[in-house]
Amino acid sequence: HHKMKLYGFTAGWRFAKWWRGKLMASTFTLEEADEALDDGWRAATVLPHDFVGEGPKKNTFTTPKGRKGVICPYIMGARLTCTTCKLCVAEKNGPIIGFVSHR
C-alpha cells in the first residue's frame, strides 16, 4: 500500500463540484482564485509572465481579498519535484499556488 496523494487541477471547478477537496481549482486571475476559495476549493492560479512576487524571496503574493499565495517552489528554482513538495495536494490546507505564465 502506497500513501501517494492525488495531484491535479480542474479548470471546470465551477461545475465539477464532486472534485472539490480532491483537485485544485485552476484559475487564471487572482480574482478568480478568490472566487474559487469562496466556493471551498484550494486554488492554483496563473500569474503574468512579468510577475514579481512579494517578500524577501519574491515568491509570495496576495489576492484582492487578502489571501496569501506562493509561487511554485520548482519555478523559483527549488531542487524538488511535485512528489516531494506536495503543496498542490488539494486534500490538505495550504496557500494558493501561483504558476508564472510562459510568454
Side-chain angles (χ1 to χ4, degrees):
H1 179 260
H2 295 284
K3 294 184 180 186
M4 294 190 64
K5 298 289 184 179
L6 177 65
Y7 296 87
F9 307 86
T10 180
W13 57 271
R14 286 185 177 97
F15 62 86
K17 305 290 186 190
W18 56 89
W19 284 112
R20 188 173 32 215
K22 295 173 183 62
L23 298 178
M24 300 275 284
S26 181
T27 67
F28 297 96
T29 66
L30 295 177
E31 293 81 8
E32 202 175 38
D34 273 330
E35 181 185 345
L37 284 147
D38 288 344
D39 197 33
W41 289 83
R42 284 252 354 254
T45 196
V46 175
L47 300 166
H49 74 275
D50 57 353
F51 184 82
V52 177
E54 303 164 350
K57 295 181 182 178
K58 302 290 186 206
N59 67 334
T60 61
F61 57 91
T62 306
T63 70
K65 289 189 173 183
R67 272 90 169 235
K68 298 297 179 188
V70 63
I71 298 172
C72 167
Y74 181 81
I75 290 173
M76 295 300 294
R79 302 180 109 201
L80 45 71
T81 65
C82 294
T83 305
T84 57
C85 175
K86 298 183 176 127
L87 273 176
C88 292
V89 173
E91 294 176 11
K92 63 180 191 171
N93 291 328
I96 302 164
I97 310 301
F99 295 93
V100 179
S101 175
H102 300 281
R103 191 145 202 208

